[in-house]
């Protein structure tokens, strides 16, 4: 497996995830960063979309997951995203970072986040 990757950063969607009832009722923004690991040499040689991952389709999948059913934990949301990408796209590995800029925490902070990295099972 090569270390080539496609990066999608700062995908922002409105979702209803959180452990507190108010979070699931009112919703809030979530920001997703992705790194998709795969061999990009064929795409570089052929200049053909079929030789790579269509990141417009990845975007739509992530949008569907984040704006869909609510999850209590960021860990579960990130796992759903990674599972969907591994099931639907020819990537060897995926890194998913889900940021929650309005997490119910006291004080000042940029965001709470979870980052997971999953590899295709052989």
């Amino acid at each position: 497996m090569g270390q080539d990757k496609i990066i999608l950063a700062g995908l922002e969607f409105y979702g209803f995830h959180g452990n507190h009832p108010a979070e699931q009722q009112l919703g809030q923004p979530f920001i997703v960063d992705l790194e998709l690991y795969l061999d990009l040499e064929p795409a570089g040689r052929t200049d053909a979309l079929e030789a790579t991952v269509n990141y417009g389709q990845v975007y739509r999948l992530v949008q569907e997951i984040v704006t869909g059913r609510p999850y209590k934990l960021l860990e579960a949301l990130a796992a759903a995203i990674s599972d969907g990408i591994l099931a639907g796209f020819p990537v060897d590995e995926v890194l998913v970072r889900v940021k929650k800029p309005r997490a119910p925490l006291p004080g000042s902070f940029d965001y709470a986040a979870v980052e997971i990295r999953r590899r295709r099972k052989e």
Side-chain angles (χ1 to χ4, degrees):
M1 176 183 72
Q3 289 301 305
D4 301 339
K5 63 184 166 181
I6 293 173
I7 301 168
L8 296 171
L11 309 179
E12 188 169 341
F13 307 104
Y14 202 84
F16 295 84
H17 314 290
N19 198 43
H20 299 289
E23 292 179 293
Q24 292 198 358
Q25 291 173 347
L26 301 173
Q28 60 189 298
F30 292 85
I31 301 166
V32 178
D33 299 326
L34 302 171
E35 293 183 11
L36 312 176
Y37 294 85
L38 67 156
D39 183 4
L40 295 176
E41 184 180 354
R45 270 190 281 102
T46 64
D47 197 25
L49 183 57
E50 303 78 38
T52 189
V53 170
N54 182 328
Y55 48 80
Q57 292 175 352
V58 173
Y59 179 94
R60 286 187 288 281
L61 172 71
V62 175
Q63 180 180 38
E64 185 178 297
I65 293 169
V66 176
T67 62
R69 68 158 278 217
Y71 292 92
K72 289 184 179 179
L73 301 177
L74 291 179
E75 293 87 340
L77 178 58
I81 293 168
S82 68
D83 291 347
I85 291 171
L86 289 170
F89 299 94
V91 301
D92 299 317
E93 192 171 341
V94 61
L95 181 139
V96 178
R97 182 180 307 110
V98 179
K99 301 174 187 174
K100 187 174 180 179
R102 295 187 191 159
L105 298 172
S108 179
F109 65 98
D110 288 337
Y111 55 82
V114 167
E115 180 177 289
I116 65 171
R117 190 168 181 156
R118 299 292 181 265
R119 181 177 292 231
R120 180 174 305 286
K121 304 230 186 303
E122 299 299 327

